[in-house]
Amino acid sequence: MSSTTFAFSTVASAATVDTTEKVSASTTKSKDNFSWDNASVYFLLTDRFRNGNTSNDHSYNRGLDQSGKVLSNIDDRATFHGGDFAGVTQSIEDGYFNNLGVNAIWISAPYEQTHGYVVGSDGNPSYAHYSYHGYYVLDYTQTDANFGTAEEFETLVDTAHEHGIRVIMDIVMNHSGYNSLYDMAEYGYGTVAPGWEDAYYPHQNINNKTYHSFIDYDTN
């Protein structure tokens, strides 16, 4: 420590020193006493937690019709609902987790998911099933745009650490994505039959039999 810094420290007011020591002691105690043996872990699905940035709600044209308009009057039980990294960060800053006594957040898989949807059941009418849960991974090296950017995820982690909270990532190496009609057409793999858009984009009244009838599994 330089003499200048030392001199400044010794002449600081008692009130300032006391406050600094209390904050420092509290932070140190929180870090030193953390143990996974008695951690209070809060698991959350990012998409279903809090929407902090509405501009990313329909990334990759999710939940939109062919003209880019938001669909209405559809069964949205398995669509993306808007929760994102920004929303989690806001709740950390608001003290939500600290007030609950939580010192670790287990966050759902943040990787880029398949862009399109598959079908939620064999019934008719059925419903669109997007990867809002993070278990249909498309690219393990990117964050999903619906959840937010890598920078927003970094901010989430940094903010959590500032509040004495650890962050656990859900690693889902055995949950890669399905071949959705949208992704097949977007990336040009496999053979998708003409007219698939008319069945796919309404996001309703399409069961598994209809959905897969537009995929040619016999050629390439």
Side-chain angles (χ1 to χ4, degrees):
M1 183 180 292
S2 67
S3 58
T4 303
T5 304
F6 179 76
F8 174 80
S9 298
T10 55
V11 298
S13 69
T16 302
V17 172
D18 287 345
T19 302
T20 303
E21 288 176 348
K22 288 178 181 178
V23 172
S24 177
S26 174
T27 303
T28 302
K29 182 178 180 181
S30 174
K31 292 179 179 178
D32 290 347
N33 288 357
F34 180 86
S35 169
W36 288 108
D37 293 328
N38 61 359
S40 295
V41 182
Y42 187 112
F43 174 78
L44 61 86
L45 284 175
T46 301
D47 175 71
R48 301 303 172 91
F49 186 72
R50 181 175 179 178
N51 193 346
N53 180 7
T54 57
S55 69
N56 61 25
D57 288 358
H58 298 284
S59 300
Y60 317 113
N61 296 317
R62 290 169 176 154
L64 305 179
D65 64 18
Q66 283 180 272
S67 65
K69 295 181 179 179
V70 178
L71 290 161
S72 59
N73 299 319
I74 64 171
D75 186 336
D76 67 352
R77 77 182 85 171
T79 63
F80 280 84
H81 285 199
D84 47 33
F85 302 144
V88 179
T89 301
Q90 289 170 15
S91 289
I92 296 171
E93 293 172 332
D94 290 346
Y96 174 76
F97 299 103
N98 290 133
N99 290 340
L100 288 175
V102 169
N103 56 4
I105 299 172
W106 177 2
I107 193 168
S108 57
Y111 322 106
E112 183 177 351
Q113 304 296 302
T114 52
H115 296 174
Y117 71 82
V118 289
V119 177
S121 75
D122 289 321
N124 195 7
S126 186
Y127 55 92
H129 181 186
Y130 281 102
S131 184
Y132 66 89
H133 39 61
Y135 289 159
Y136 301 160
V137 182
L138 173 71
D139 188 344
Y140 285 97
T141 71
Q142 303 292 329
T143 59
D144 191 271
N146 261 84
F147 303 147
T149 64
E151 290 74 21
E152 287 175 310
F153 184 72
E154 183 177 8
T155 298
L156 184 160
V157 174
D158 288 343
T159 305
H161 289 172
E162 290 168 2
H163 287 74
I165 300 171
R166 270 65 170 176
V167 178
I168 309 166
M169 291 178 64
D170 199 342
I171 308 297
V172 291
M173 301 305 292
N174 61 332
H175 287 283
S176 56
Y178 293 104
N179 56 322
S180 82
L181 286 168
Y182 187 93
D183 289 271
M184 292 180 70
E186 180 181 12
Y187 292 107
Y189 66 87
T191 301
V192 179
W196 69 271
E197 299 95 335
D198 294 334
Y200 174 89
Y201 276 101
H203 286 62
Q204 56 188 348
N205 299 325
I206 179 170
N207 60 18
N208 273 311
K209 183 177 180 180
T210 304
Y211 189 97
H212 288 281
S213 71
F214 287 98
I215 301 175
D216 185 347
Y217 288 103
D218 297 324
T219 56
N220 61 353

